[in-house]
Amino acid sequence: MTRVVLLGASPGPDTSPTGLRLTALPGDPTVAERLRGQLLSLDPQPVTIDPSDVSSALRALAEVAESATDNLFIIPENSVIHDELIYQITKAKRAALALVAKEPRPEGEEAPEDSIPIEEADPEIGRNTLEGLPVRARAGKSRVVSVGTAAHAVTRPNTALLGPLHIGQRNLPMLAETCRALAEMSFVGDDDFVQLLVFGLVRNGVSVGIRGRRDLFYRRVTTQEEVNEAGAEMAGMDEDRARLDNAVKGADGFFTTYFVSTYSRFIARWAARRGLTPNQVTLISITLGVLAAACFATGQRPMMVLGGVLIYFAFVFDCVDGQVARYARKFGVLGAWLDATFDRFKEYVVFAGLAVGWVVSGHGDEIWILALAAISLQSVRHLLDFSFGISNRRKPPAQLPTLALDAPSDKPLRKALEKRKVERSQGIRGLLKMWTKAGRFRAVHWARKMIVFPIGERFAAIAITAALFDARITFLTLVIWGSVAAAYTLTGRVMRSLA
């Protein structure tokens, strides 16, 4: 269970969330009531800390962090936020994750008189010089690089922290240590509490990831007028569509992205709303795969075409089962194991069906050599994938540079990061970095996705070649493309291991 910490708003009839009502919602709940209801599934008894006294609040948070046995979610009590955004933040597998805003200033809105454009900002400016942008984030690594306060400069800030902060259990001892160290320092009182926390964590070497609001809503409110605006804006956003889009994996291959996920998510929503479980959808996928193998085993052209159609939809439902799980929040070890196991089963039974169909058509038994080669190659690739994944999980996280909390400038931190960047741009690491940067080009990005021959491309290759040609062409495609993919991935993993 995630431990929740609510940061209480300053007391007063106009600013306290206990008196601000969301009239756009049924029952006219107060902001605080709605937020507590949203967090009920995470923590039925959240801790409330008043951040108006910074030192006392930091010590109180340190005690919470020391006693917590799970992840910690910190959020201001005057937050208006979508349920889906809470879910996405708290389920992130990062050491720490902060919600940020990187939106440009609205068109036509003039900059404050004391602010200057980011690109013209002096490297040593403090927070007050560029109001509302106190954080330097690195987009490539999706993490915070430096944070400014009223007493600490930040180089070329480009991001603003919004409020919610999620911290993994592994980093709670560092959070407690950071809070106690910050409590001994003196602050002018106009720094945001979460900003101070992220400032301390980053300077102590914790990797704080960033996440934008995207198509979901978050705002901190202090007046009834702001609450009314927030309620109207939030009501105009389709939270369910955002949840549905989030159910689709963001790192899928080319074929899956453009020929399956464009519509499979709607099948997933339809299935979830009718009570179908992910395991039931998996069974549909298995059944379609077996039927496709049976069609291929006949060796007849019309049945080969039908088999190609069936194996395509077997893959569609293979995607749908995971999307149902993510959309309906129905996860389980059994389901994950069944999905991974029967993916291989569907492939191999289809290989067998293709080989049988070739033999019964009178073409000879030599096809079994290609079938066994395709099965062996795919089995070795999965073994390499599994072993490399296990090795990576055992690898300790890279140590980030640290900087004393009382250092007025982030210049030493920037120098350490630049030195680290130079070191990583040499030798094998440099080659890997260049190849990673090449992924910014769309053609290279999709070429890299396709060359590894992911499951979507494999099922597409089977469906197309079996329907248009014959089993021999299918197996040759699988063996040749699979061999190229194996060589590519093995080379990359050896290089990463050496680096």
Side-chain angles (χ1 to χ4, degrees), residues 390-466:
I390 291 293
S391 300
N392 266 345
R393 283 194 287 272
R394 291 175 179 171
K395 184 177 66 175
Q399 294 294 319
L400 292 175
T402 59
L403 181 63
L405 297 179
D406 57 358
S409 169
D410 65 353
K411 193 172 183 178
L413 186 62
R414 287 190 293 113
K415 287 184 176 180
L417 289 171
E418 286 298 324
K419 180 180 178 182
R420 192 164 177 259
K421 183 178 179 181
V422 171
E423 291 173 351
R424 293 194 168 195
S425 63
Q426 299 172 347
I428 295 176
R429 284 184 173 181
L431 291 174
L432 292 172
K433 189 174 181 180
M434 287 175 59
W435 186 231
T436 300
K437 285 186 175 180
R440 296 175 182 176
F441 298 99
R442 197 170 185 81
V444 176
H445 170 79
W446 288 120
R448 290 192 335 195
K449 289 281 188 181
M450 295 177 70
I451 196 174
V452 297
F453 208 19
I455 187 170
E457 272 66 12
R458 293 200 304 274
F459 274 64
I462 293 170
I464 294 170
T465 56

Side-chain angles (χ1 to χ4, degrees), residues 353-398:
L354 286 166
V356 169
W358 180 268
V359 172
V360 300
S361 298
H363 294 95
D365 297 338
E366 294 81 4
I367 194 69
W368 285 106
I369 297 174
L370 286 176
L372 290 173
I375 292 175
S376 300
L377 179 61
Q378 196 57 42
S379 298
V380 170
R381 288 189 60 207
H382 286 305
L383 177 63
L384 292 174
D385 290 343
F386 177 78
S387 58
F388 187 75
I390 291 293
S391 300
N392 266 345
R393 283 194 287 272
R394 291 175 179 171
K395 184 177 66 175

